[in-house]
Amino acid sequence: MVKKGTFRVKSGLAEMLKGGVIMDVTTAEQAKIAEKAGAVAVMALERVPADIRAQGGVARMADPEKVKEIQAAVSIPVMAKVRIGHFVEAQILEALEVDYIDESEVLTPADPRYHIDKWAFTVPFVCGARDLGEACRRIGEGAAMIRTKGEPGTGNVVEAVKHMRLMQEQIRAVLAAPDDELMKMAKEMGAPYEVLLLIREKGRLPVVNFAAGGIATPADAALMMQLGADGVFVGSGIFKSGDPEKRARAIVEATTHYSDPKILAEVSAGLGEAMSGIAIEEIPPHEMMQVR
Amino acid sequence: MEGTIGVLGLQGAVREHIVSLSRLGVAARAVKKAEELDGLSGLILPGGESTAISLLAGGGLLARLREMGRTGFPFFGTCAGMILLAREIEGQEEAYIRAIDITVARNASGRQVHSFETVLSVDGIGDDVPAVFIRAPYITRMGPGVRPLARHEGAVVMAREGNVLVTSFHPELTDDLRIHRYFIEMVENYEREVRQ
């Protein structure tokens, strides 16, 4: 008997991506550059987060034509983003057979109250989170992979660091708590009790947790890995930089050898200009993507 | 067994293999550089993205692994690991370690929506082995010295030649330790031969 779309099959692909870099791409050509640099997957989208931020307007799922071009160009997994709550965009991407769907705060939310019921799909989903409660709610809805939200399109790693540290701290608290305090903890975090039980059983989050949102340099990637990330997403950081090929390769090497400062020094040298970046304080509150 | 088994730790499901080996009481460690291969009794090449792993392994590590393959060193490759060990890869001019005389087709089971789990009959292990296939490669040609150990819908998904074992699927994603135990026995036999 053959079973497709089980949670083990969905989360299993994310396990295979561990220690790797997933790169945002907007064309087949960029996808090839990413694959050649050692990306473990590419994220197909219309505009990178930095451009969405600069240009404004409603950001939607990529044109299926573009997704198909990117799928045809590479043999690594192809992911694509849908608006939060837009389950029809997700149905379309599933029909295109993308390998993973990112229900993403980078796009303009389609539903201000509800996320997609991800159990209803065969294709797996990754979702962003700022803390453990949010991560557990997404897992409760069927997400098979989690990533920090950070603050996308800023080239500023501070928010991703904040989210990763908070999640790790909260996981430690869940593991240390006596049984009779767990329900209260679930209530306070806004986390499904059953997911907290899974964390205690496994001794860690039951799915892979990547870092995302503001990673722009090899050192940023290695920092997130040392803080406990299973891998990294790089959005605008590569194709908004001076030398995308070289930077992509350097971030891949840094993610693998994240605990070896000698290698980090080597790969960080002479990469040309990084994306310019934005201080979080300069972003008006209504333009923050992570609160979506 | 007394020796240590390494797990190629550049990228992929490294932790899962280390956990499976530890549960069987075998010492295991991740390997990222050529010099870290010294002193190992066997090596597991885990699932991951074969293109990424091969780039990260670069010249030095791959060359060293190729050399070890020629001396009969025990390797076990799952999914991407099988691709790295194969002599030929369909649609690709160059292969990597070439330690087992098979040809593999990458992503033969299709994109992720076609990934699946099932139960396999594995020669010498049992007819109830759980197997998780994720964008899995299949074996499309076997040299005369290669023994097929399991099939799925006609395609060979597990094989062995000498001290090299390969699976299309991921035993490390299940709680079933029989395939890891099978590899450990291969490593023990190899150690005995080397000592004699």
Side-chain angles (χ1 to χ4, degrees), chain B residues 105-106 111 136 151:
Chain B
R106 299 181 60 207
R111 298 187 192 280
R151 290 175 198 269

Side-chain angles (χ1 to χ4, degrees), chain A residues 161-240:
Chain A
V161 167
K162 207 198 272 179
H163 300 160
M164 184 57 75
R165 277 207 185 264
L166 181 56
M167 274 194 250
Q168 302 287 359
E169 191 182 301
Q170 291 173 316
I171 289 169
R172 285 194 294 272
V174 166
L175 295 178
D179 286 343
D180 59 358
E181 289 179 13
L182 201 64
M183 186 59 85
K184 179 91 183 296
M185 215 171 213
K187 182 186 162 196
E188 284 171 358
M189 282 184 183
Y193 180 69
E194 293 69 21
V195 179
L196 293 191
L197 286 179
L198 269 178
I199 291 173
R200 280 160 77 92
E201 188 190 308
K202 296 219 161 203
R204 56 180 172 84
L205 209 63
V207 301
V208 160
N209 186 15
F210 270 46
I215 294 156
T217 68
D220 288 349
L223 172 66
M224 296 312 301
M225 294 299 287
Q226 288 198 28
L227 287 173
D230 289 311
V232 299
F233 283 88
V234 186
S236 319
I238 290 171
F239 290 101
K240 284 283 155 190

Side-chain angles (χ1 to χ4, degrees), chain A residues 1 3-4 6 8-9 12 15-18 36 38 40 75-77 97 99 204 249 256 260, chain B residues 10-12 15-16 32-33 48-49 52 55-56 106-107 111-112 114 116-118 134-135 170 173:
Chain A
M1 201 182 53
K3 286 184 282 183
K4 293 182 181 176
T6 62
R8 183 151 68 175
V9 167
E15 302 288 349
M16 298 309 142
L17 303 177
K18 276 187 305 197
K36 257 180 88 181
V40 290
S75 70
I76 55 178
E97 301 194 350
D99 294 294
R204 56 180 172 84
R249 188 64 213 263
T256 290
D260 189 331
Chain B
L10 296 167
Q11 190 273 311
R15 178 177 65 208
E16 287 68 19
K32 289 188 185 182
K33 296 176 186 164
E49 279 306 313
L55 279 169
L56 286 161
R106 299 181 60 207
N107 301 338
R111 298 187 192 280
Q112 174 63 11
H114 303 292
F116 60 94
E117 51 182 298
T118 189
I134 295 175
R135 291 169 43 93
H170 297 281
L173 292 184

